[in-house]
Amino acid sequence: MSERADSSDPITEVLTSIVGPVWLKVGRMFRGTDHQVISEAHIVYDADGIRHAGPDSPSRDLIRMGQKKPDLYLPDHTILPGLTDAHTHLFLEGGETDPAKRSVHLKLTAEEQLDHAQSRLERLVALGITAVREAGDKANVGLSLQSRYGSAQRGVMPHVDAPGAAINHQKRYGSFMARPTEEYDSPAATVAARIADGAHRIKLLATGIINFEKGAVTAKPQMPAEELAEFVQASRGHGKQTMVHCSGNDGVANCIAAGVDTIEHGYFIDDDQLARIRDADMVWVPTFAPVQFQVDQPEHIGWSEQVCTNLQRIVDAHSRSLVKAQELGVRVVAGSDAGSHGVAHGWGFLRELELMQIAGISATQVLHTATGAGRERMGYAERFGALQAGYKSRFMLTTHDVLNDVFHLRRAKIMVFDGTILSAGDDESQPGL
């Protein structure tokens, strides 16, 4: 096993010294396949993947010849899969709170944006994030990172799944990350062009954004249900899924009618729509962090007291919808919208998980949304997000009680990423991530 960790740590010393499969026994295991926790569990893994995970001891053919007991017994440790941030914009610097400086960043060349994005990406694994689903950029930064991930020389970097440029309409919301469908003569032609660029899925902008001064989505949806359905059909013809930016009741209704795969944001969603999303086995990615940042730090935008009241009302309603979605059995998947104003890559995702817990769902429910909730439905090219035989050996070990409070995800942990071991301390020790 290769090493990138503190060699003074006795656990990492053992993990990095073993040649062949590693057998661990831990106090608690969260497999990510559901909300359940297993006590006194075993895992066997090597650089190629997980061989065994569960309450039973592994069979002899899965461990090293002659081995009779685990390499380590860690009764005080919890093991859980690496996290997936299912909505990011790697080309944007979310940690920058000054609007003027953010505008300057958008004017960087594509090559400069890619260099910055690569640096952000490489730091995520130490925080526990081992996969990201990009949500669109017109300079194809995400596609370049997706390609780098697929190369033999990638090193330690999260799995990247990217759509390339999002698709909008001319003179409508999203020009900073999208190219208009009017560049082509049909939705099918637009989809074909994105696929030719290397898109793993198709990102659509079905609506604009929330009018915070009025506390509502006031603009009509960009795309009617009929048009969205054409994009869905064309995407599925290429074996690709649709991920759709959408807020407002009318926009959500259009997405449901069109049969999209994932609804991103979904502010102002209602209970009946949540039930229909469940019945259609769609995915909802709620993205609390960008709006909560504006609640917490309105001075960066100059919001009035009335706008702050609107923002809090919107977050409260979104929280109630999240709780209802869990009660109904909606497939909820966590995404931070990192790159948005005030949402830094990495730490912004950990904040997203904290906000989901604050909204009213349990820590294990939150962790499921960030691990295995989307592993089968989301159509990823690799198997990750679960402690299960045949999945990637990408997981964290921690002595902190993350299964009862996701705020502990910020604290010290050991990350296993294929053949590499990384360690990370508390958030205060890692500025600038």
Side-chain angles (χ1 to χ4, degrees):
M1 310 290 286
S2 62
E3 177 183 3
R4 188 184 294 178
D6 181 358
S7 60
S8 65
D9 178 7
I11 295 175
T12 60
E13 284 183 0
V14 172
L15 296 180
T16 57
S17 67
I18 295 170
V19 178
V22 179
W23 175 10
L24 302 178
K25 183 178 180 181
V26 297
R28 297 194 298 177
M29 173 181 286
F30 181 80
R31 296 182 66 177
T33 53
D34 51 32
H35 306 155
Q36 302 304 307
V37 178
I38 302 172
S39 298
E40 299 296 299
H42 300 261
I43 185 167
V44 179
Y45 72 93
D46 58 21
D48 294 327
I50 297 172
R51 295 180 167 209
H52 170 85
D56 301 323
S57 296
S59 59
R60 292 183 179 180
D61 61 312
L62 297 177
I63 56 180
R64 301 191 305 279
M65 184 176 296
Q67 188 174 10
K68 298 184 182 300
K69 63 179 182 179
D71 296 294
L72 287 171
Y73 173 42
L74 305 171
D76 297 327
H77 279 73
T78 296
I79 187 172
L80 62 154
L83 309 174
T84 298
D85 188 344
H87 191 115
T88 69
H89 295 278
L90 285 162
F91 79 107
L92 292 172
E93 179 51 83
E96 178 55 68
T97 58
D98 185 327
K101 292 180 180 179
R102 284 178 60 81
S103 296
V104 170
H105 181 83
L106 281 172
K107 296 175 184 177
L108 295 176
T109 67
E111 183 176 352
E112 289 171 329
Q113 289 184 2
L114 178 59
D115 288 343
H116 285 289
Q118 179 72 44
S119 178
R120 295 184 199 106
L121 188 65
E122 290 174 349
R123 293 178 286 182
L124 295 186
V125 174
L127 291 182
I129 300 164
T130 54
V132 295
R133 186 177 69 143
E134 253 287 316
D137 70 279
K138 63 183 179 183
N140 287 344
V141 169
L143 290 180
S144 295
L145 294 171
Q146 179 178 269
S147 179
R148 287 185 184 181
Y149 175 83
S151 70
Q153 293 79 33
R154 72 169 183 255
V156 176
M157 62 180 282
H159 176 100
V160 179
D161 179 290
I167 300 170
N168 69 340
H169 276 292
Q170 287 178 344
K171 300 181 180 180
R172 295 298 302 269
Y173 168 77
S175 61
F176 69 100
M177 64 171 162
R179 296 204 311 270
T181 187
E182 284 83 0
E183 290 180 348
Y184 302 93
D185 60 10
S186 68
T190 308
V191 168
R194 296 296 189 273
I195 301 300
D197 286 340
H200 190 74
R201 63 188 71 240
I202 300 299
K203 170 68 180 293
L204 303 169
L205 302 181
T207 69
I209 57 175
I210 302 168
N211 182 331
F212 293 117
E213 293 183 341
K214 295 186 179 297
V217 175
T218 55
K220 291 183 178 180
Q222 284 200 51
M223 296 182 179
E226 296 78 12
E227 183 179 29
L228 286 170
E230 289 187 64
F231 278 111
V232 169
Q233 182 179 6
S235 301
R236 289 180 180 165
H238 291 274
K240 305 298 182 183
Q241 295 191 6
T242 46
M243 59 183 300
V244 185
H245 164 105
C246 176
S247 283
N249 194 268
D250 291 344
V252 171
N254 288 345
C255 287
I256 295 171
V260 307
D261 291 290
T262 70
I263 294 177
E264 316 290 313
H265 317 304
Y267 282 86
F268 305 101
I269 199 167
D270 66 35
D271 292 355
D272 177 67
Q273 290 174 334
L274 288 170
R276 294 174 64 195
I277 288 170
R278 175 204 59 201
D279 294 344
D281 195 26
M282 295 177 185
V283 174
W284 180 33
V285 184
T287 65
F288 281 83
V291 179
Q292 186 65 51
F293 168 74
Q294 297 183 61
V295 172
D296 295 337
Q297 300 186 48
E299 66 275 10
H300 292 295
I301 305 176
W303 289 135
S304 67
E305 183 177 345
Q306 180 58 54
V307 171
C308 291
T309 298
N310 291 341
L311 289 165
Q312 188 60 61
R313 175 173 53 81
I314 291 166
V315 169
D316 291 344
H318 212 48
S319 297
R320 289 191 293 272
S321 292
L322 177 63
V323 172
K324 187 64 175 181
Q326 286 291 338
E327 293 174 353
L328 291 173
V330 175
R331 195 187 295 270
V332 178
V333 171
S336 67
D337 207 2
S340 293
H341 195 185
V343 186
H345 293 276
W347 296 121
F349 184 60
L350 299 187
R351 180 59 175 158
E352 177 72 23
L353 302 185
E354 294 162 4
L355 292 170
M356 294 175 79
Q357 181 176 308
I358 291 170
I361 66 175
S362 71
T364 53
Q365 288 174 325
V366 173
L367 290 171
H368 184 232
T369 71
T371 55
R375 74 189 195 283
E376 295 174 350
R377 178 64 178 84
M378 303 284 275
Y380 292 119
E382 292 185 323
R383 303 177 80 189
F384 53 78
L387 301 181
Q388 190 169 318
Y391 278 63
K392 293 288 185 180
S393 51
R394 299 173 183 175
F395 52 83
M396 71 176 74
L397 289 160
T398 178
T399 57
H400 302 290
D401 191 10
V402 297
L403 300 183
N404 283 306
D405 191 344
V406 298
F407 282 76
H408 289 307
L409 289 170
R410 292 179 178 267
R411 304 184 68 184
K413 62 180 72 69
I414 294 171
M415 289 300 302
V416 175
F417 188 93
D418 299 342
T420 300
I421 314 300
L422 302 96
S423 59
D426 290 355
D427 53 347
E428 291 84 1
S429 67
Q430 299 182 81
L433 285 182

